[in-house]
Amino acid sequence: MRTIFILLGFFHIWVTLKLTYNEAIVFKFTNAVCESYNESWFVYHKCRLKAVSRNKTTLNLNGTVLHPAYDIGLHAQIFKKANGYKPWVVKAELDICRFVKRAYNPVAKIVFNLFKEFSNFNHSCPYVGPQIVNGFYLRSNYLPHSIPTGDYLLSMTWLFDKRPQFSTKIYFIFTEDL
Ligand SMILES: *[C@@H]1O[C@H](CO)[C@@H](O)[C@H](O)[C@H]1NC(C)=O
Ligand SMILES: *[C@@H]1O[C@H](CO)[C@@H](O)[C@H](O)[C@H]1NC(C)=O
Ligand SMILES: *[C@@H]1O[C@H](CO)[C@@H](O)[C@H](O)[C@H]1NC(C)=O
Ligand SMILES: *[C@@H]1O[C@H](CO)[C@@H](O)[C@H](O)[C@H]1NC(C)=O
C-alpha cells in the first residue's frame, strides 16, 4: 500500500493549493479509452467525452457488471506525455470494497468526493448492474497548482477477484497561460 501515498500526495497538493478561479487555466479531459477484458463480467455501453465549452469537457461512462463483484481492486497510474507517455507517479492500488465501507484514506476520500456526485458509485459491495458516470468535469477551483503544463494520462485497471476485468484510460491537459 505504500505506493498509493505517492499518488495521494499529488492529490493532496491538488486540494490544499486550491486556487481562486483563473480563466487562463485550462484543465480538462481530452480523451477517454475504455476496454473490457472479460465481457462475461463487465461490458461498456458508453465511454465518451462531450465538449461543453472551450474550458469544459464532460466524461460520460456507462457500463454493466453482469454478476455481483465482491472483491474489487483498482490499479491506477498517472503518465505524463514526453515523447510518448512516461510514468509520472508510481502505481497505486486501492481496495474498493474496503474504501467505500470506510474511506480509510482521507485524501482518497477527497478525490472520491470530487466525482461521486456525477456517478452511482457510492454504495457498499457487491457492485452489480449499471455503473454510470454522467457529466463529470474537472473543476477549476481544484486546480493542481504544482502540476507542470502538459498532457496526462490516468490509467486505471479494475480487478474482480484479483484478476483484471476492464480498464479506463482518461487523458487530460493542464495548461497555465501566464
Ligand atoms: C470472466 O467472467 C466470468 C463470469 O463472471 C468469470 O467466471 C471468470 O472467472 C472471469 N474470468 C477472469 C479471467 O476473471
Ligand atoms: C446505459 O446503457 C444501457 C444499455 O445500453 C441503457 O439501457 C441505459 O439506459 C444506459 N444508462 C444511462 C444512464 O445512460
Ligand atoms: C456515501 O454516501 C453516504 C450518504 O450520502 C455518506 O455518508 C458517505 O460518507 C459516502 N461515502 C463516501 C466514501 O464518500
Ligand atoms: C469556464 O469558463 C467560464 C467563463 O469563461 C466559467 O464561468 C466557468 O466556471 C469555467 N468552467 C470551468 C470548468 O472552469
Short mmCIF file of all heavy atoms in Angstrom, two decimals, residues 10-66:
data_model
loop_
_atom_site.label_atom_id
_atom_site.label_comp_id
_atom_site.label_asym_id
_atom_site.label_seq_id
_atom_site.Cartn_x
_atom_site.Cartn_y
_atom_site.Cartn_z
N PHE A 10 0.01 13.63 -4.38
CA PHE A 10 -0.26 14.52 -5.50
C PHE A 10 -1.64 15.15 -5.38
O PHE A 10 -1.82 16.35 -5.55
CB PHE A 10 -0.08 13.71 -6.80
CG PHE A 10 -0.91 14.15 -7.96
CD1 PHE A 10 -0.59 15.30 -8.65
CD2 PHE A 10 -1.98 13.39 -8.37
CE1 PHE A 10 -1.35 15.70 -9.73
CE2 PHE A 10 -2.75 13.78 -9.44
CZ PHE A 10 -2.44 14.94 -10.12
N PHE A 11 -2.62 14.32 -5.04
CA PHE A 11 -3.97 14.85 -4.90
C PHE A 11 -4.08 15.78 -3.70
O PHE A 11 -4.86 16.71 -3.68
CB PHE A 11 -4.98 13.71 -4.79
CG PHE A 11 -5.24 13.03 -6.10
CD1 PHE A 11 -4.93 11.70 -6.28
CD2 PHE A 11 -5.79 13.74 -7.16
CE1 PHE A 11 -5.17 11.07 -7.49
CE2 PHE A 11 -6.03 13.11 -8.38
CZ PHE A 11 -5.72 11.78 -8.54
N HIS A 12 -3.24 15.49 -2.70
CA HIS A 12 -3.24 16.33 -1.51
C HIS A 12 -2.80 17.74 -1.86
O HIS A 12 -3.40 18.72 -1.44
CB HIS A 12 -2.32 15.70 -0.47
CG HIS A 12 -2.37 16.39 0.85
ND1 HIS A 12 -3.52 16.45 1.60
CD2 HIS A 12 -1.44 17.08 1.54
CE1 HIS A 12 -3.28 17.14 2.70
NE2 HIS A 12 -2.03 17.53 2.69
N ILE A 13 -1.75 17.84 -2.68
CA ILE A 13 -1.27 19.14 -3.13
C ILE A 13 -2.38 19.83 -3.93
O ILE A 13 -2.68 21.00 -3.75
CB ILE A 13 -0.01 18.97 -4.01
CG1 ILE A 13 1.15 18.49 -3.14
CG2 ILE A 13 0.35 20.28 -4.72
CD1 ILE A 13 2.31 17.90 -3.90
N TRP A 14 -3.00 19.02 -4.78
CA TRP A 14 -4.10 19.49 -5.60
C TRP A 14 -5.18 20.19 -4.77
O TRP A 14 -5.62 21.28 -5.08
CB TRP A 14 -4.65 18.26 -6.30
CG TRP A 14 -5.78 18.44 -7.26
CD1 TRP A 14 -6.55 19.55 -7.46
CD2 TRP A 14 -6.26 17.47 -8.18
NE1 TRP A 14 -7.48 19.29 -8.43
CE2 TRP A 14 -7.33 18.04 -8.87
CE3 TRP A 14 -5.89 16.15 -8.44
CZ2 TRP A 14 -8.03 17.34 -9.83
CZ3 TRP A 14 -6.60 15.47 -9.40
CH2 TRP A 14 -7.65 16.05 -10.09
N VAL A 15 -5.58 19.56 -3.68
CA VAL A 15 -6.69 20.13 -2.92
C VAL A 15 -6.26 21.19 -1.94
O VAL A 15 -7.01 22.11 -1.67
CB VAL A 15 -7.54 19.05 -2.22
CG1 VAL A 15 -8.27 18.22 -3.24
CG2 VAL A 15 -6.72 18.15 -1.33
N THR A 16 -5.01 21.08 -1.42
CA THR A 16 -4.60 22.09 -0.45
C THR A 16 -4.26 23.41 -1.13
O THR A 16 -4.50 24.46 -0.58
CB THR A 16 -3.40 21.63 0.41
OG1 THR A 16 -2.54 20.84 -0.39
CG2 THR A 16 -3.85 20.86 1.62
N LEU A 17 -3.73 23.32 -2.34
CA LEU A 17 -3.39 24.54 -3.06
C LEU A 17 -4.56 24.97 -3.95
O LEU A 17 -4.42 25.22 -5.13
CB LEU A 17 -2.13 24.35 -3.91
CG LEU A 17 -0.84 24.08 -3.13
CD1 LEU A 17 0.32 23.91 -4.09
CD2 LEU A 17 -0.56 25.20 -2.16
N LYS A 18 -5.71 24.98 -3.36
CA LYS A 18 -6.93 25.37 -4.06
C LYS A 18 -6.80 26.83 -4.49
O LYS A 18 -6.62 27.72 -3.68
CB LYS A 18 -8.08 25.20 -3.06
CG LYS A 18 -9.42 25.08 -3.66
CD LYS A 18 -10.36 24.64 -2.54
CE LYS A 18 -11.77 25.01 -2.90
NZ LYS A 18 -12.72 24.57 -1.88
N LEU A 19 -6.85 27.03 -5.79
CA LEU A 19 -6.66 28.39 -6.29
C LEU A 19 -7.98 29.11 -6.46
O LEU A 19 -9.03 28.48 -6.55
CB LEU A 19 -5.97 28.34 -7.66
CG LEU A 19 -4.59 27.72 -7.73
CD1 LEU A 19 -4.05 27.86 -9.14
CD2 LEU A 19 -3.66 28.39 -6.75
N THR A 20 -7.89 30.39 -6.50
CA THR A 20 -9.07 31.15 -6.86
C THR A 20 -9.26 31.00 -8.37
O THR A 20 -8.32 30.66 -9.08
CB THR A 20 -8.89 32.64 -6.51
OG1 THR A 20 -7.65 33.06 -7.06
CG2 THR A 20 -8.90 32.86 -5.02
N TYR A 21 -10.44 31.20 -8.84
CA TYR A 21 -10.76 30.99 -10.24
C TYR A 21 -9.84 31.81 -11.15
O TYR A 21 -9.62 32.98 -10.93
CB TYR A 21 -12.22 31.37 -10.52
CG TYR A 21 -12.55 31.32 -11.97
CD1 TYR A 21 -12.58 30.10 -12.65
CD2 TYR A 21 -12.81 32.49 -12.69
CE1 TYR A 21 -12.86 30.06 -14.00
CE2 TYR A 21 -13.10 32.44 -14.03
CZ TYR A 21 -13.11 31.22 -14.69
OH TYR A 21 -13.38 31.18 -16.02
N ASN A 22 -9.28 31.13 -12.13
CA ASN A 22 -8.38 31.79 -13.06
C ASN A 22 -8.73 31.35 -14.47
O ASN A 22 -8.54 30.20 -14.84
CB ASN A 22 -6.93 31.42 -12.72
CG ASN A 22 -5.94 32.10 -13.64
OD1 ASN A 22 -6.31 32.62 -14.70
ND2 ASN A 22 -4.70 32.11 -13.24
N GLU A 23 -9.22 32.26 -15.26
CA GLU A 23 -9.71 31.94 -16.59
C GLU A 23 -8.60 31.46 -17.53
O GLU A 23 -8.86 30.77 -18.50
CB GLU A 23 -10.40 33.16 -17.20
CG GLU A 23 -11.68 32.81 -17.91
CD GLU A 23 -12.36 34.03 -18.46
OE1 GLU A 23 -12.42 35.05 -17.75
OE2 GLU A 23 -12.81 33.99 -19.60
N ALA A 24 -7.33 31.83 -17.20
CA ALA A 24 -6.22 31.48 -18.08
C ALA A 24 -5.80 30.02 -17.92
O ALA A 24 -4.98 29.53 -18.66
CB ALA A 24 -5.04 32.39 -17.80
N ILE A 25 -6.36 29.35 -16.95
CA ILE A 25 -6.01 27.94 -16.73
C ILE A 25 -7.01 27.03 -17.43
O ILE A 25 -8.21 27.20 -17.28
CB ILE A 25 -5.93 27.64 -15.22
CG1 ILE A 25 -4.73 28.36 -14.60
CG2 ILE A 25 -5.84 26.14 -14.97
CD1 ILE A 25 -4.63 28.25 -13.11
N VAL A 26 -6.46 26.09 -18.19
CA VAL A 26 -7.31 25.09 -18.83
C VAL A 26 -6.98 23.74 -18.22
O VAL A 26 -5.82 23.34 -18.16
CB VAL A 26 -7.09 25.05 -20.37
CG1 VAL A 26 -7.91 23.92 -20.99
CG2 VAL A 26 -7.47 26.39 -20.99
N PHE A 27 -7.96 23.08 -17.70
CA PHE A 27 -7.79 21.79 -17.03
C PHE A 27 -9.00 20.95 -17.43
O PHE A 27 -10.10 21.17 -16.92
CB PHE A 27 -7.75 22.05 -15.52
CG PHE A 27 -7.57 20.82 -14.67
CD1 PHE A 27 -6.71 19.80 -15.05
CD2 PHE A 27 -8.24 20.72 -13.46
CE1 PHE A 27 -6.54 18.68 -14.24
CE2 PHE A 27 -8.07 19.61 -12.65
CZ PHE A 27 -7.22 18.59 -13.04
N LYS A 28 -8.78 20.10 -18.42
CA LYS A 28 -9.95 19.37 -18.91
C LYS A 28 -9.56 18.03 -19.54
O LYS A 28 -8.40 17.78 -19.88
CB LYS A 28 -10.71 20.21 -19.93
CG LYS A 28 -9.93 20.49 -21.21
CD LYS A 28 -10.78 21.28 -22.21
CE LYS A 28 -10.03 21.48 -23.50
NZ LYS A 28 -10.80 22.24 -24.48
N PHE A 29 -10.56 17.19 -19.70
CA PHE A 29 -10.38 15.89 -20.33
C PHE A 29 -10.12 16.08 -21.82
O PHE A 29 -10.69 16.98 -22.45
CB PHE A 29 -11.64 15.03 -20.18
CG PHE A 29 -12.00 14.73 -18.75
CD1 PHE A 29 -13.23 15.13 -18.23
CD2 PHE A 29 -11.13 14.03 -17.93
CE1 PHE A 29 -13.57 14.83 -16.92
CE2 PHE A 29 -11.47 13.74 -16.61
CZ PHE A 29 -12.70 14.14 -16.11
N THR A 30 -9.27 15.24 -22.40
CA THR A 30 -9.02 15.31 -23.84
C THR A 30 -9.36 14.00 -24.55
O THR A 30 -9.57 13.99 -25.76
CB THR A 30 -7.55 15.65 -24.14
OG1 THR A 30 -6.70 14.73 -23.45
CG2 THR A 30 -7.22 17.07 -23.70
N ASN A 31 -9.40 12.89 -23.82
CA ASN A 31 -9.76 11.62 -24.45
C ASN A 31 -10.11 10.60 -23.36
O ASN A 31 -9.68 10.75 -22.21
CB ASN A 31 -8.59 11.09 -25.30
CG ASN A 31 -9.02 10.03 -26.30
OD1 ASN A 31 -10.20 9.80 -26.52
ND2 ASN A 31 -8.05 9.38 -26.90
N ALA A 32 -10.87 9.61 -23.75
CA ALA A 32 -11.21 8.51 -22.83
C ALA A 32 -11.23 7.23 -23.65
O ALA A 32 -11.82 7.20 -24.73
CB ALA A 32 -12.55 8.76 -22.16
N VAL A 33 -10.56 6.22 -23.15
CA VAL A 33 -10.49 4.93 -23.86
C VAL A 33 -10.87 3.84 -22.85
O VAL A 33 -10.25 3.74 -21.78
CB VAL A 33 -9.08 4.67 -24.42
CG1 VAL A 33 -9.02 3.31 -25.11
CG2 VAL A 33 -8.67 5.77 -25.39
N CYS A 34 -11.87 3.07 -23.20
CA CYS A 34 -12.37 2.05 -22.28
C CYS A 34 -12.27 0.69 -22.94
O CYS A 34 -12.54 0.56 -24.13
CB CYS A 34 -13.83 2.33 -21.93
SG CYS A 34 -14.08 3.94 -21.15
N GLU A 35 -11.91 -0.31 -22.16
CA GLU A 35 -11.78 -1.64 -22.72
C GLU A 35 -12.18 -2.68 -21.67
O GLU A 35 -11.74 -2.60 -20.53
CB GLU A 35 -10.34 -1.88 -23.17
CG GLU A 35 -10.13 -3.18 -23.90
CD GLU A 35 -8.66 -3.45 -24.26
OE1 GLU A 35 -7.81 -2.57 -24.01
OE2 GLU A 35 -8.40 -4.54 -24.76
N SER A 36 -13.00 -3.64 -22.09
CA SER A 36 -13.32 -4.76 -21.21
C SER A 36 -12.45 -5.93 -21.59
O SER A 36 -12.24 -6.20 -22.77
CB SER A 36 -14.79 -5.15 -21.34
OG SER A 36 -15.04 -6.33 -20.60
N TYR A 37 -11.89 -6.63 -20.59
CA TYR A 37 -11.09 -7.82 -20.87
C TYR A 37 -11.91 -9.09 -20.70
O TYR A 37 -11.44 -10.18 -20.98
CB TYR A 37 -9.89 -7.89 -19.90
CG TYR A 37 -9.04 -6.65 -19.88
CD1 TYR A 37 -8.72 -6.02 -18.68
CD2 TYR A 37 -8.55 -6.11 -21.07
CE1 TYR A 37 -7.92 -4.88 -18.66
CE2 TYR A 37 -7.75 -4.97 -21.05
CZ TYR A 37 -7.46 -4.37 -19.84
OH TYR A 37 -6.68 -3.25 -19.82
N ASN A 38 -13.12 -8.92 -20.15
CA ASN A 38 -13.95 -10.09 -19.83
C ASN A 38 -15.42 -9.68 -19.97
O ASN A 38 -16.05 -9.30 -18.99
CB ASN A 38 -13.64 -10.56 -18.41
CG ASN A 38 -14.35 -11.85 -18.06
OD1 ASN A 38 -15.12 -12.39 -18.87
ND2 ASN A 38 -14.14 -12.32 -16.84
N GLU A 39 -15.93 -9.77 -21.18
CA GLU A 39 -17.29 -9.29 -21.43
C GLU A 39 -18.36 -10.20 -20.84
O GLU A 39 -19.55 -9.88 -20.94
CB GLU A 39 -17.49 -9.07 -22.94
CG GLU A 39 -16.61 -7.93 -23.43
CD GLU A 39 -17.16 -7.19 -24.62
OE1 GLU A 39 -17.69 -7.85 -25.52
OE2 GLU A 39 -17.06 -5.95 -24.63
N SER A 40 -17.97 -11.29 -20.21
CA SER A 40 -18.98 -12.06 -19.50
C SER A 40 -19.14 -11.54 -18.05
O SER A 40 -19.99 -12.00 -17.31
CB SER A 40 -18.69 -13.56 -19.54
OG SER A 40 -17.48 -13.83 -18.87
N TRP A 41 -18.31 -10.55 -17.69
CA TRP A 41 -18.48 -9.96 -16.36
C TRP A 41 -18.70 -8.43 -16.41
O TRP A 41 -19.46 -7.88 -15.65
CB TRP A 41 -17.29 -10.29 -15.45
CG TRP A 41 -17.63 -10.34 -13.99
CD1 TRP A 41 -18.76 -9.83 -13.39
CD2 TRP A 41 -16.88 -10.96 -12.96
NE1 TRP A 41 -18.74 -10.09 -12.06
CE2 TRP A 41 -17.60 -10.78 -11.75
CE3 TRP A 41 -15.65 -11.63 -12.91
CZ2 TRP A 41 -17.15 -11.26 -10.53
CZ3 TRP A 41 -15.19 -12.11 -11.69
CH2 TRP A 41 -15.93 -11.92 -10.51
N PHE A 42 -18.04 -7.78 -17.35
CA PHE A 42 -18.24 -6.32 -17.45
C PHE A 42 -18.31 -5.90 -18.91
O PHE A 42 -17.43 -6.23 -19.70
CB PHE A 42 -17.09 -5.55 -16.77
CG PHE A 42 -17.34 -4.06 -16.73
CD1 PHE A 42 -18.05 -3.49 -15.69
CD2 PHE A 42 -16.92 -3.24 -17.77
CE1 PHE A 42 -18.32 -2.12 -15.67
CE2 PHE A 42 -17.18 -1.88 -17.75
CZ PHE A 42 -17.88 -1.33 -16.70
N VAL A 43 -19.37 -5.15 -19.25
CA VAL A 43 -19.47 -4.60 -20.61
C VAL A 43 -19.62 -3.08 -20.54
O VAL A 43 -20.30 -2.55 -19.66
CB VAL A 43 -20.67 -5.18 -21.42
CG1 VAL A 43 -20.38 -6.60 -21.86
CG2 VAL A 43 -21.97 -5.10 -20.66
N TYR A 44 -18.95 -2.40 -21.45
CA TYR A 44 -19.12 -0.95 -21.61
C TYR A 44 -20.21 -0.70 -22.65
O TYR A 44 -20.24 -1.37 -23.70
CB TYR A 44 -17.83 -0.33 -22.14
CG TYR A 44 -16.79 -0.01 -21.10
CD1 TYR A 44 -15.59 -0.72 -21.06
CD2 TYR A 44 -16.97 1.03 -20.20
CE1 TYR A 44 -14.60 -0.40 -20.13
CE2 TYR A 44 -15.99 1.35 -19.27
CZ TYR A 44 -14.81 0.64 -19.25
OH TYR A 44 -13.84 0.96 -18.33
N HIS A 45 -21.08 0.27 -22.38
CA HIS A 45 -22.05 0.71 -23.38
C HIS A 45 -21.65 2.07 -23.93
O HIS A 45 -21.93 2.42 -25.06
CB HIS A 45 -23.44 0.84 -22.77
CG HIS A 45 -23.87 -0.39 -22.03
ND1 HIS A 45 -24.07 -1.59 -22.65
CD2 HIS A 45 -24.10 -0.59 -20.71
CE1 HIS A 45 -24.43 -2.49 -21.73
NE2 HIS A 45 -24.44 -1.91 -20.56
N LYS A 46 -21.00 2.85 -23.07
CA LYS A 46 -20.63 4.21 -23.46
C LYS A 46 -19.35 4.61 -22.77
O LYS A 46 -19.12 4.28 -21.60
CB LYS A 46 -21.77 5.17 -23.08
CG LYS A 46 -21.52 6.61 -23.52
CD LYS A 46 -22.80 7.42 -23.53
CE LYS A 46 -23.24 7.79 -22.13
NZ LYS A 46 -24.46 8.64 -22.14
N CYS A 47 -18.50 5.34 -23.51
CA CYS A 47 -17.24 5.84 -22.97
C CYS A 47 -16.94 7.05 -23.83
O CYS A 47 -16.38 6.93 -24.91
CB CYS A 47 -16.16 4.77 -23.12
SG CYS A 47 -14.50 5.29 -22.67
N ARG A 48 -17.36 8.20 -23.40
CA ARG A 48 -17.39 9.34 -24.30
C ARG A 48 -17.12 10.66 -23.59
O ARG A 48 -17.55 10.86 -22.44
CB ARG A 48 -18.80 9.41 -24.91
CG ARG A 48 -18.83 10.03 -26.30
CD ARG A 48 -20.22 9.88 -26.90
NE ARG A 48 -20.57 8.50 -27.20
CZ ARG A 48 -21.82 8.02 -27.26
NH1 ARG A 48 -22.84 8.81 -27.00
NH2 ARG A 48 -22.04 6.76 -27.57
N LEU A 49 -16.45 11.55 -24.30
CA LEU A 49 -16.29 12.92 -23.80
C LEU A 49 -17.25 13.80 -24.58
O LEU A 49 -17.56 13.54 -25.74
CB LEU A 49 -14.87 13.44 -24.03
CG LEU A 49 -13.73 12.72 -23.34
CD1 LEU A 49 -12.42 13.45 -23.62
CD2 LEU A 49 -13.96 12.62 -21.84
N LYS A 50 -17.68 14.85 -23.92
CA LYS A 50 -18.55 15.80 -24.60
C LYS A 50 -18.01 17.21 -24.32
O LYS A 50 -17.88 17.61 -23.15
CB LYS A 50 -19.97 15.66 -24.05
CG LYS A 50 -21.00 16.47 -24.79
CD LYS A 50 -22.39 16.16 -24.27
CE LYS A 50 -23.39 17.15 -24.83
NZ LYS A 50 -24.65 17.10 -24.08
N ALA A 51 -17.69 17.92 -25.41
CA ALA A 51 -17.19 19.29 -25.25
C ALA A 51 -18.39 20.20 -24.99
O ALA A 51 -19.29 20.30 -25.81
CB ALA A 51 -16.45 19.72 -26.50
N VAL A 52 -18.37 20.83 -23.84
CA VAL A 52 -19.48 21.69 -23.45
C VAL A 52 -19.14 23.14 -23.77
O VAL A 52 -19.95 23.91 -24.25
CB VAL A 52 -19.80 21.50 -21.95
CG1 VAL A 52 -20.89 22.47 -21.50
CG2 VAL A 52 -20.22 20.06 -21.68
N SER A 53 -17.88 23.52 -23.48
CA SER A 53 -17.38 24.85 -23.84
C SER A 53 -15.88 24.73 -23.99
O SER A 53 -15.31 23.65 -23.80
CB SER A 53 -17.76 25.87 -22.77
OG SER A 53 -17.14 25.55 -21.55
N ARG A 54 -15.21 25.84 -24.29
CA ARG A 54 -13.77 25.79 -24.53
C ARG A 54 -13.00 25.18 -23.35
O ARG A 54 -12.03 24.47 -23.53
CB ARG A 54 -13.25 27.22 -24.79
CG ARG A 54 -11.86 27.28 -25.39
CD ARG A 54 -11.33 28.69 -25.44
NE ARG A 54 -11.01 29.22 -24.11
CZ ARG A 54 -9.87 29.03 -23.48
NH1 ARG A 54 -8.91 28.32 -24.04
NH2 ARG A 54 -9.66 29.52 -22.28
N ASN A 55 -13.45 25.49 -22.15
CA ASN A 55 -12.71 25.02 -20.97
C ASN A 55 -13.43 23.92 -20.21
O ASN A 55 -13.06 23.62 -19.09
CB ASN A 55 -12.44 26.21 -20.03
CG ASN A 55 -13.72 26.82 -19.49
OD1 ASN A 55 -14.81 26.59 -20.03
ND2 ASN A 55 -13.61 27.59 -18.43
N LYS A 56 -14.44 23.33 -20.80
CA LYS A 56 -15.18 22.31 -20.05
C LYS A 56 -15.58 21.15 -20.95
O LYS A 56 -16.29 21.32 -21.94
CB LYS A 56 -16.42 22.95 -19.42
CG LYS A 56 -17.26 21.99 -18.60
CD LYS A 56 -18.40 22.74 -17.94
CE LYS A 56 -19.39 21.77 -17.31
NZ LYS A 56 -20.53 22.47 -16.70
N THR A 57 -15.08 19.98 -20.60
CA THR A 57 -15.41 18.76 -21.32
C THR A 57 -15.88 17.74 -20.29
O THR A 57 -15.21 17.53 -19.28
CB THR A 57 -14.15 18.23 -22.05
OG1 THR A 57 -13.73 19.22 -22.99
CG2 THR A 57 -14.45 16.96 -22.81
N THR A 58 -17.02 17.13 -20.55
CA THR A 58 -17.54 16.18 -19.57
C THR A 58 -17.21 14.75 -19.97
O THR A 58 -17.10 14.42 -21.15
CB THR A 58 -19.06 16.31 -19.39
OG1 THR A 58 -19.71 15.99 -20.63
CG2 THR A 58 -19.45 17.71 -18.94
N LEU A 59 -17.06 13.92 -18.96
CA LEU A 59 -16.79 12.49 -19.13
C LEU A 59 -18.07 11.73 -18.81
O LEU A 59 -18.70 11.97 -17.78
CB LEU A 59 -15.67 12.07 -18.17
CG LEU A 59 -15.34 10.57 -18.09
CD1 LEU A 59 -14.79 10.05 -19.41
CD2 LEU A 59 -14.32 10.34 -16.98
N ASN A 60 -18.45 10.85 -19.75
CA ASN A 60 -19.69 10.10 -19.60
C ASN A 60 -19.42 8.62 -19.83
O ASN A 60 -18.99 8.24 -20.92
CB ASN A 60 -20.73 10.62 -20.59
CG ASN A 60 -20.97 12.12 -20.41
OD1 ASN A 60 -21.70 12.53 -19.53
ND2 ASN A 60 -20.29 12.93 -21.21
N LEU A 61 -19.64 7.83 -18.79
CA LEU A 61 -19.39 6.40 -18.87
C LEU A 61 -20.65 5.64 -18.49
O LEU A 61 -21.40 6.07 -17.61
CB LEU A 61 -18.28 5.98 -17.91
CG LEU A 61 -16.91 6.64 -18.03
CD1 LEU A 61 -15.99 6.14 -16.92
CD2 LEU A 61 -16.29 6.37 -19.37
N ASN A 62 -20.85 4.52 -19.16
CA ASN A 62 -21.96 3.64 -18.82
C ASN A 62 -21.49 2.22 -19.06
O ASN A 62 -21.04 1.88 -20.16
CB ASN A 62 -23.17 3.99 -19.71
CG ASN A 62 -24.37 3.08 -19.47
OD1 ASN A 62 -24.31 2.13 -18.67
ND2 ASN A 62 -25.47 3.37 -20.17
N GLY A 63 -21.56 1.41 -18.03
CA GLY A 63 -21.17 0.01 -18.15
C GLY A 63 -22.05 -0.85 -17.26
O GLY A 63 -22.77 -0.32 -16.41
N THR A 64 -21.99 -2.16 -17.46
CA THR A 64 -22.78 -3.06 -16.63
C THR A 64 -21.89 -4.16 -16.05
O THR A 64 -21.14 -4.80 -16.79
CB THR A 64 -23.91 -3.73 -17.46
OG1 THR A 64 -24.73 -2.70 -18.01
CG2 THR A 64 -24.78 -4.62 -16.58
N VAL A 65 -22.02 -4.36 -14.74
CA VAL A 65 -21.40 -5.50 -14.07
C VAL A 65 -22.44 -6.61 -14.13
O VAL A 65 -23.52 -6.49 -13.56
CB VAL A 65 -21.02 -5.17 -12.61
CG1 VAL A 65 -20.42 -6.40 -11.93
CG2 VAL A 65 -20.05 -4.00 -12.55
N LEU A 66 -22.13 -7.69 -14.85
CA LEU A 66 -23.13 -8.72 -15.15
C LEU A 66 -23.38 -9.69 -14.00
O LEU A 66 -24.45 -10.29 -13.92
CB LEU A 66 -22.74 -9.47 -16.42
CG LEU A 66 -22.69 -8.57 -17.67
CD1 LEU A 66 -22.01 -9.28 -18.82
CD2 LEU A 66 -24.08 -8.11 -18.07
#
